[in-house]
């Protein structure tokens, strides 16, 4: 089921249609179009942050956040980590400007990991390539958790061995889950 959910995204993106995915268990109180456009055009913060702190397979913005979230505060137990991809070195796959958002995603309300039950994707070659790779990786790694892999593909809060090094690292922003897009 999870593979099929994502299999439609590349077809829609290749048709040049920006896409919003909303899981079937989502309840919409009002038309979200204006809020999605606002979040895309005026993001609070464009991610990912390239320089991070890594502890095991988890990524943190800095040592203070790692200590607050995990209660692991010993600097000897983490290392600096630079998020990069050899895909981004290809001039044909140029990264958009810093302020341009290619995806909008939600975090879980009680955790930093991404929830892929609601997201927006801009129809350009980089997100298309990312979703083709993502579907392939779900297919060849059937026991990989799709949300952890989704998070890892965007280099948000975790690293997954199923996420290939050669992938576009998309510019993305978070939907405001406290005021506009409630998320479990």
């Amino acid at each position: 089921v999870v593979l099929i959910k994502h299999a439609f995204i590349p077809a829609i993106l290749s048709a040049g249609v920006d896409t919003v995915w909303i899981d079937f268990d989502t309840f919409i109180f009002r038309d979200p179009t204006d809020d999605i456009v606002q979040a895309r055009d005026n993001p609070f913060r464009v991610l990912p942050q390239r320089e991070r702190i890594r502890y095991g397979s988890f990524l943190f913005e800095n040592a203070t956040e790692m200590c607050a979230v995990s209660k692991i505060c010993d600097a000897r137990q983490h290392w600096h980590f630079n998020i990069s991809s050899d895909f981004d070195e290809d001039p044909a796959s140029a990264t958009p400007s810093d302020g341009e958002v290619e995806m909008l995603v939600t975090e879980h309300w009680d955790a930093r990991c991404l929830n892929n039950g609601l997201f927006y994707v801009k129809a350009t070659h980089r997100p298309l390539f990312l979703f083709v790779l993502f579907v392939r990786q779900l297919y060849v790694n059937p026991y990989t958790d799709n949300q952890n892999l989704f998070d890892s593909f965007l280099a948000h809060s975790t690293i997954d061995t199923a996420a290939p090094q050669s992938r576009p690292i998309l510019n993305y922003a978070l939907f405001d889950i406290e005021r506009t897009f409630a998320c479990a």
Side-chain angles (χ1 to χ4, degrees), residues 173-184:
L174 299 174
F175 283 120
D176 181 355
I177 61 171
E178 292 179 11
R179 291 181 290 267
T180 311
F181 294 93
C183 184

Side-chain angles (χ1 to χ4, degrees), residues 87-101:
F87 182 90
D88 291 333
E89 295 171 8
D90 180 2
S93 65
T95 304
S97 66
D98 288 338
E100 186 177 347
V101 171

Side-chain angles (χ1 to χ4, degrees), residues 3-173:
L3 178 63
I4 297 303
K5 165 186 173 174
H6 297 96
F8 294 104
I9 304 295
I12 296 167
L13 294 176
S14 66
V17 178
D18 289 1
T19 303
V20 175
W21 179 269
I22 302 172
D23 270 358
F24 74 93
D25 60 351
T26 303
F27 187 82
I28 299 173
F29 291 101
R30 63 185 171 97
D31 182 352
T33 304
D34 292 341
D35 294 318
I36 292 170
V37 170
Q38 175 69 19
R40 181 198 64 199
D41 294 346
N42 301 299
F44 174 71
R45 180 175 173 209
V46 178
L47 298 165
Q49 178 181 324
R50 297 291 178 149
E51 293 292 324
R52 306 290 280 288
I53 298 292
R54 180 176 174 186
Y55 175 75
S57 65
F58 300 103
L59 299 174
F60 299 94
E61 290 189 24
N62 52 48
T64 303
E65 183 201 31
M66 184 179 120
C67 182
V69 171
S70 69
K71 307 301 182 223
I72 298 168
C73 304
D74 185 344
R76 296 172 297 174
Q77 294 184 333
H78 70 264
W79 60 94
H80 292 278
F81 186 75
N82 182 23
I83 297 164
S84 62
S85 168
D86 51 4
F87 182 90
D88 291 333
E89 295 171 8
D90 180 2
S93 65
T95 304
S97 66
D98 288 338
E100 186 177 347
V101 171
E102 297 169 287
M103 274 189 86
L104 295 167
V105 294
T106 55
E107 286 183 323
H108 287 276
W109 68 272
D110 65 343
R112 289 192 53 250
C113 56
L114 294 181
N115 178 337
N116 64 5
L118 170 65
F119 58 87
Y120 159 86
V121 188
K122 186 173 185 172
T124 66
H125 70 286
R126 290 169 39 82
L128 171 60
F129 190 78
L130 179 126
F131 271 94
V132 168
L133 276 175
F134 183 74
V135 169
R136 179 196 179 279
Q137 292 307 101
L138 284 175
Y139 179 77
V140 298
N141 299 283
Y143 299 108
T144 296
D145 179 79
N146 77 94
Q147 292 202 75
N148 288 346
L149 187 59
F150 186 80
D151 186 297
S152 186
F153 259 74
L154 293 176
H156 184 68
S157 71
T158 191
I159 296 171
D160 191 305
T161 58
Q165 176 65 27
S166 186
R167 70 184 190 280
I169 305 293
L170 301 185
N171 287 346
Y172 69 96

